[in-house]
Structures are given as C-alpha cells and as structure tokens.
Amino acid sequence: RVIVRVRQEAPQAFKAEITIFLAGQGISDSAAMRVRGPKREKERIAAMDALQLKRAAVEGAPECDSDGTGEYQATRKRQRELLHLDWTEEDCDEAEKGEGQSLEDVVREVDLPAQVVKPSGDEDVVLLRPTGPGWVQAGTMTATPWKGQWFVHERQEQGTGKHFPWLWFDARTGGYYIRSDSAASGYVAATPPNAPDVYGV
C-alpha cells in the first residue's frame, strides 16, 4: 500500500514523497494520502528522507488495523522529525551499507501498493494502482506509449462528446505519461494527478 520516490521541483530542489493507499479501495477508485519530506539541495539527501519515510510506514503497518492509518500516522511523525535533521554524506553511506544498495535504488522500489490480478502464463500479473478516481484499464485498441499493462484517464472532447485518453499510467512501473510531439516516442513522463497532500509546517 506504499510507493516512495523523490520529486525534483527545481535544479537544486528535491523532496521525498510517499503515497499511502488506503485499504479496501479498487484500482480505479483508490484513496491515497501523500506525505512529502523537506526540500533538499541534493537528490541523494532527499532519497535518505524517502528511506526514512518508507521505514516509518513499514514499522507503522502492524498498528494500522488493515486500513492504512498506522502507516500514515507513523509517516507523519517521521516527516515532522525530518524537518529538523540534516543528513551528511556519511549518513547516506551508512544507510546504503545497511540496505545493500544505493539510496536511489531503494527509493525506486515499490513497497506494497500492488494488486495481484489474473494469472498470465505461469506467473501472476502484478498491477500497481494509479492515484485518484476515474481510471480505466486500456483495451487492446487503445494507443499506449509501449506494450504492457496500462490504465488511462480520459477527457471528453467538446463538440463531439467523444472521450479520449490524455494521461497514461504504466501499471508495471508506476510511471505516468502524457503526449508530447517533441519526444521520440510521442510521450513524456508526467507527475501524478492531484491527490490529498500533507505538508510539514
């Protein structure tokens, strides 16, 4: 029920972000709460924040009564603590030794927010949940950035009333994409759609 990542908001402005999906929600109408860490000048330092938020969510899971509130409360508490912490490169090195991989790789991992759907061949297909309501699974005739498991968000065209995709979600990697004529593939990465945010004060 948790996705962690680092957002870049400016050339030297990075923030850790964790999205906690509340239990009992389907893929197309999932409810999620997002918590962000403080602004950092280096991506690696923000990745350290993301690791701390991820650990807090995992530690809070046993208290959540299966609805996600434990992860959320534990993450909010750790978020407030991060506002007063300044990580050093030595802190990051130590964390990487404990994890056995780089902080960037730890952050790229998807923790729990997957849903197992019908088997495909000998393996289960694991689909991640896009943020927010209104998503539909892409059909065989729907154009997508590349082959895979996709969800699309549609808009209604004025005049014709027809619906057309404007936002794509890669259910295997958790990435969002929009059309771009300047990109070789015709698509570029996009930020997740708006969802309830929580910020430190």
Side-chain angles (χ1 to χ4, degrees):
R1 292 190 301 276
V2 174
I3 289 179
V4 290
R5 67 178 188 142
V6 171
R7 295 173 59 98
Q8 183 174 5
E9 300 185 339
Q12 290 185 317
F14 300 87
K15 283 186 178 181
E17 179 180 279
I18 183 168
T19 303
I20 300 172
F21 293 84
L22 304 184
Q25 305 296 325
I27 287 180
S28 64
D29 59 351
S30 59
M33 294 298 292
R34 190 179 303 155
V35 180
R36 291 177 181 165
K39 186 182 296 184
R40 306 293 193 182
E41 292 185 359
K42 295 182 178 180
E43 182 178 7
R44 193 182 189 214
I45 302 299
M48 182 68 168
D49 289 339
L51 174 61
Q52 300 302 312
L53 294 175
K54 176 182 176 181
R55 286 176 174 174
V58 172
E59 292 170 359
E63 306 171 9
C64 71
D65 296 328
S66 301
D67 64 0
T69 56
E71 290 114 315
Y72 172 67
Q73 295 298 334
T75 303
R76 283 285 287 118
K77 179 181 178 182
R78 190 55 174 157
Q79 177 203 42
R80 291 191 292 270
E81 296 170 349
L82 290 175
L83 297 174
H84 307 288
L85 291 175
D86 292 316
W87 303 111
T88 65
E89 290 295 331
E90 289 73 19
D91 293 329
C92 295
D93 291 339
E94 191 66 26
E96 288 181 342
K97 289 180 181 179
E99 293 292 324
Q101 57 185 326
S102 71
L103 289 172
E104 289 82 358
D105 288 338
V106 172
V107 171
R108 290 192 189 102
E109 290 181 347
V110 176
D111 221 0
L112 296 172
Q115 175 167 324
V116 179
V117 296
K118 63 181 181 180
S120 175
D122 296 329
E123 298 181 357
D124 285 336
V125 178
V126 179
L127 301 182
L128 305 180
R129 302 172 180 177
T131 299
W135 291 90
V136 295
Q137 191 163 4
T140 56
M141 300 299 292
T142 303
T144 57
W146 51 81
K147 290 183 179 180
Q149 299 289 336
W150 292 88
F151 288 87
V152 297
H153 213 290
E154 298 181 333
R155 284 178 174 169
Q156 189 172 21
E157 189 176 49
Q158 292 184 353
T160 66
K162 294 182 178 179
H163 289 80
F164 64 95
W166 70 277
L167 182 62
W168 288 257
F169 175 79
D170 188 338
R172 294 293 183 89
T173 67
Y176 295 83
Y177 298 86
I178 57 174
R179 287 191 185 278
S180 174
D181 295 335
S182 61
S185 66
Y187 301 86
V188 294
T191 57
N194 292 333
D197 286 349
V198 178
Y199 298 93
V201 295

